[in-house]
Amino acid sequence: MQKVKIPITLDPIRTAQKQVTYDGIVLFEQLPRLLDVVVRNEGEVEVKIHFRKDEQGISVVEGHANANITTICQRCNEELGLDLELDFAYSPTGIGKSSEHLPSCYDVVEMDEEGEINLHQLVEDELMLAIPIVPMHEESHCRFSEKPLSFGEIEAEDDKPNPFEILKQLKKDS
């Protein structure tokens, strides 16, 4: 089956009534926040998104995404490859509408003024959350050296008189 590009925005309520499934890709170049984190901007995210109504009649956006990204190891400053694979489930709500009635198994995605959601932004949010806060190689594979890093000589400071020495003298005198 040929992979197609996932639409950027769509009406989740109407799409859930039709029970539509999208199986396709989102290019990295369409995810600007993710581009700030990755080293190489070529690549794609494989995405499968299914829209449906659940047993309570709530519109649901369920999906699965996986991507291979390359970022920087925060320990050795070398490239680090990460395989991200994630599942998500959202229920759309209107702008400013309460989401208290939704089951806790669904995250909330807010629709815009036209009643649409941005699927690329939704996938990008999930990928950003899947990246570790401090990405690092495993210690056995990391090129980090235990030698302390220094850049030049540190000059010794002149011995300055202690400013509290005067107070010590005053205390002795009294």
Side-chain angles (χ1 to χ4, degrees), residues 3 10 30-31 34 51-52 59-60 78 80 83 87 93 97 100 111 117-118 131 133 142 150-152 165 169 174:
K3 298 281 184 179
L10 53 73
Q30 296 171 323
L31 308 173
L34 187 65
F51 294 83
R52 67 177 179 87
S59 297
V60 178
E78 297 286 328
L80 168 67
D83 295 326
D87 294 310
T93 62
K97 299 265 175 117
E100 294 174 3
M111 296 184 289
I117 59 172
N118 187 324
I131 297 173
I133 293 174
C142 199
S150 65
F151 301 98
E165 196 66 39
Q169 292 296 331
S174 41

Side-chain angles (χ1 to χ4, degrees), residues 52 54-56 58 60-62 87-91 102-108:
R52 67 177 179 87
D54 70 357
E55 297 80 25
Q56 297 173 339
I58 298 172
V60 178
V61 180
E62 293 176 321
D87 294 310
F88 53 88
Y90 285 92
S91 182
L102 295 175
S104 61
C105 60
Y106 302 136
D107 290 325
V108 177

